[in-house]
Amino acid sequence: MIYLKQLTFYSLILLAQNMKYKLLPLFAAVLLLTACNGDEADLEFQLEVENKTDQAEEVTSDDEVEDQTVVEVVEPVLKTDLSPYFENADVTFYEALVPLPNDMFDQSYWDGIEGYARNFIWYESGVINVEPYDDWKMLLLQVECEGPCFSSDFYRFAYDEATEELIHLSYHSYSSLDIAKEVVEPFLAIEDSEARLSGLELPLAVQIPDTDYSLTLQNRFAGIGVDTDGNYFDDAQILFEDEALGTFYSFGGGCLHYKHPDGTIATYSFDDIFSEQATTIEGDIIDLNRDYSLTHNGCGVSTICYSTYDMDISELEAIGETESGISLYTVKNPIELSDEDADELSVSANSFANAQYDAYKEMEEYNQSVLAEVDEEGEPVEEEDEIMTYQAFLDTNAVIFWQDPFGRTSAFLHNDYQIPAECGKPVIYLYPEESQMVDVFVDIREFTKTIPEHGEDGWTVLAHPDGMLENQADGMEYPYLFWEGHSDVEVPMSRGFTVPRAELETFLNDSLTQLGLNEMEQADFMEFWLPEMLKNREPYFVISFLGTEAFNPVAPLTIDPKPDTLARIFMYYEPTFSNATYPEQELTGFERNGFTVVEWGGTSPHFQAQR
């Protein structure tokens, strides 16, 4: 009987160390000691309890900092300088987000979930002041991605401290709780999809001051405006002040960022120019919405903001305007720049147009090599060179410059001259703990090349711990599995890095180390991608990385037996003339445990594999 009490009491103490209220161990000790009837065994038990309690307190005070994330206690301060739009909101907001300890709820539930590795942060953002949640706390849950991604998911909750009831406000959250259900499922009373709280809504359109144009709400769940290295807007500039909402920020691209009073981020974009179907250029009617692109796409990745460039308007010549009067331009004095003229192009309208001409020539040369007709003996049929001159290319209005309502120069690119980007050289390394047969299947719309051949059912290989693979279909050995192809799924890119050309090699090496590639994997990556990227002559690169979770929808990967560790790292890069910054990604590595699979690859609007 005493033994049972000892176990119960000590277990209760250990459980209580992770709970919100630290007085619980003492209270439990008093209750259990009272039940021990004062005999000699009880006295031994009491001494053991005191010893265990002292040990637990010592561990908590000395070692807890190393094992747990310490959250500084911050007293909420009500926000007093609200913009007019939020003055009568259904939520009273705090001056700043208040981080909450992750163990405010019993986290033992998800600690035991196999393979569960997500990081999450709870914040308190305000107090709800309308029924049925009057005087309930407004909580935010930020759930980090597995591996690098463009934004972490966030969810809003109503929380009653008295009853510890937690209600998910799904309309005001990034999505349903499928992704984060492990975190909140044990405590969730209901999921409320009907609640609409004023003050959490944002207007769908915002008038741009002193113009006839407006911004359109693009994404109301772009993230939470607190980064580990500082404020989300540290590198942003204030673009304008709205009378009702307040400050709109820019990182230099076409999207404008807005910080909601509860700390979340929304993005707005200037879409008016796409609503103008008829546009006159030198007497011709063109359709900007149908025939041109403002943003760029790679395989599985799309940019959501048009780029802006620091170009002198004197370098441009007006050639027409839109229905609403936005002027359209071409290069005033076009001069073709050969590879001998410059390895790196300067920031100018002519250089920008030359870079697009380079991409066009690469596409035509590729098409001619792949699509060339052959005679009866299988020899290529000589055809006339149909590659346009630089001037003829510009005369087709392949590149059209314009200025947005903030006076920033951007460019439309004709869709006929855009390369259909591939997922470039993803390679898959298999590292089992002992030699074993492994089946690998990549589910993508179209393969353009695989080594060895990816059959209808994928690859079957005998994988060895050193990474060497014996392919069962052809009996040959390979260091990794290689594939390239096209995907129908696109992930919108909203975070990344702007890297000067001269710093590219150093940036890539540092980033790959942070992402967890080993020496061999990193060398393979650099051997392929560094020279590929430097074929372009733009002075900057925008670079982003997708991790396992973000890349899985682009090219689902099935492996049998299932690996203990799976790390997929996919790079998106865009050669550019813009040095505009982006909200930076946080790059995190991974721990290799058991049977490990690592994959890397990349894509770009300019990338088309040469075969």
Side-chain angles (χ1 to χ4, degrees), residues 362-400:
E362 180 183 347
M363 180 183 70
E364 285 300 309
E365 289 164 358
Y366 170 80
N367 288 340
Q368 290 181 14
S369 65
V370 173
L371 305 177
E373 294 183 12
V374 295
D375 58 23
E376 294 179 358
E377 284 75 33
E379 296 296 322
V381 176
E382 292 287 335
E383 291 187 2
E384 253 184 64
D385 184 4
E386 297 182 357
I387 296 179
M388 291 182 286
T389 65
Y390 177 52
Q391 183 61 61
F393 174 74
L394 293 179
D395 288 344
T396 66
N397 296 316
V399 181
I400 299 175

Side-chain angles (χ1 to χ4, degrees), residues 47-342:
L47 292 174
E48 183 176 353
V49 164
E50 290 174 351
N51 183 45
K52 297 295 186 183
T53 304
D54 290 340
Q55 291 176 4
E57 288 176 352
E58 183 177 347
V59 169
T60 299
S61 59
D62 294 337
D63 300 334
E64 190 176 65
V65 173
E66 296 182 7
D67 298 332
Q68 299 181 11
T69 301
V70 177
V71 177
E72 182 181 354
V73 177
V74 179
E75 288 297 326
V77 177
L78 295 181
K79 197 173 185 66
T80 57
D81 58 343
L82 281 172
S83 302
Y85 184 84
F86 301 100
E87 286 180 350
N88 298 310
D90 293 339
V91 180
T92 302
F93 299 105
Y94 294 156
E95 190 66 39
L97 288 174
V98 178
L100 300 173
N102 281 0
D103 60 356
M104 66 172 290
F105 302 113
D106 176 13
Q107 81 183 67
S108 61
Y109 173 83
W110 60 87
D111 278 346
I113 296 177
E114 182 181 358
Y116 183 76
R118 290 182 179 277
N119 295 318
F120 57 92
I121 305 173
W122 288 96
Y123 296 100
E124 189 175 326
S125 62
V127 180
I128 303 173
N129 52 41
V130 294
E131 295 294 349
Y133 307 120
D134 190 24
D135 207 30
W136 287 35
K137 299 295 180 66
M138 173 65 70
L139 301 188
L140 283 172
L141 173 64
Q142 181 177 6
V143 182
E144 298 291 351
C145 307
E146 290 186 58
C149 63
F150 297 136
S151 65
S152 54
D153 303 333
F154 72 84
Y155 305 84
R156 289 187 174 103
F157 296 86
Y159 176 60
D160 186 356
E161 265 189 321
T163 63
E164 295 191 352
E165 191 174 9
L166 191 67
I167 308 294
H168 177 223
L169 307 175
S170 56
Y171 177 78
H172 295 298
S173 298
Y174 172 79
S175 68
S176 68
L177 279 177
D178 291 343
I179 292 178
K181 63 182 178 181
E182 294 95 340
V183 179
V184 298
E185 191 170 43
F187 325 105
L188 193 62
I190 62 170
E191 183 160 343
D192 187 348
S193 60
E194 301 298 324
R196 303 288 190 273
L197 301 180
S198 69
L200 296 183
E201 302 269 18
L202 287 172
L204 298 179
V206 175
Q207 190 74 23
I208 301 175
D210 304 319
T211 74
D212 295 328
Y213 303 109
S214 61
L215 299 172
T216 302
L217 179 62
Q218 182 185 68
N219 183 4
R220 58 193 179 109
F221 304 116
I224 293 180
V226 179
D227 286 343
T228 55
D229 296 328
N231 191 282
Y232 182 93
F233 292 108
D234 282 348
D235 296 322
Q237 66 178 104
I238 296 176
L239 205 57
F240 74 92
E241 298 281 344
D242 180 75
E243 290 183 358
L245 291 171
T247 306
F248 280 78
Y249 297 87
S250 169
F251 287 92
C255 289
L256 275 68
H257 297 245
Y258 178 76
K259 186 173 183 178
H260 191 280
D262 74 350
T264 58
I265 305 300
T267 56
Y268 282 79
S269 61
F270 175 60
D271 291 339
D272 282 5
I273 194 164
F274 279 122
S275 65
E276 303 180 44
Q277 298 295 316
T279 302
T280 303
I281 294 184
E282 298 178 338
D284 295 329
I285 304 298
I286 65 171
D287 191 331
L288 290 174
N289 191 30
R290 181 192 64 201
D291 298 331
Y292 287 81
S293 298
L294 263 180
T295 58
H296 304 128
N297 301 326
C299 173
V301 183
S302 62
T303 55
I304 59 176
C305 309
Y306 59 83
S307 298
T308 59
Y309 311 101
D310 186 17
M311 295 178 183
D312 191 333
I313 193 70
S314 65
E315 301 173 5
L316 303 174
E317 178 181 0
I319 55 173
E321 63 179 22
T322 67
E323 285 181 315
S324 65
I326 295 178
S327 295
L328 305 174
Y329 304 88
T330 189
V331 180
K332 180 179 287 186
N333 297 306
I335 300 173
E336 183 176 355
L337 303 174
S338 66
D339 293 343
E340 290 73 25
D341 292 328

Side-chain angles (χ1 to χ4, degrees), residues 546-587:
L546 280 71
T548 304
E549 180 184 333
F551 190 59
N552 278 343
V554 176
L557 179 64
T558 303
I559 301 173
D560 185 25
K562 184 178 179 180
D564 301 296
T565 302
L566 172 61
R568 310 184 77 185
I569 298 169
F570 194 74
M571 176 184 68
Y572 171 83
Y573 72 93
E574 181 184 327
T576 181
F577 288 87
S578 173
N579 63 354
T581 60
Y582 281 81
E584 288 194 354
Q585 284 183 293
E586 183 178 353
L587 302 184

Side-chain angles (χ1 to χ4, degrees), residues 519-565:
E519 187 175 341
M520 179 190 69
E521 295 157 358
Q522 188 166 327
D524 289 346
F525 184 102
M526 295 294 289
E527 180 183 15
F528 179 80
W529 282 111
L530 183 61
E532 180 67 33
M533 295 171 76
L534 291 176
K535 289 178 183 178
N536 302 287
R537 297 192 287 166
E538 288 86 335
Y540 301 99
F541 293 89
V542 171
I543 300 176
S544 294
F545 295 95
L546 280 71
T548 304
E549 180 184 333
F551 190 59
N552 278 343
V554 176
L557 179 64
T558 303
I559 301 173
D560 185 25
K562 184 178 179 180
D564 301 296
T565 302

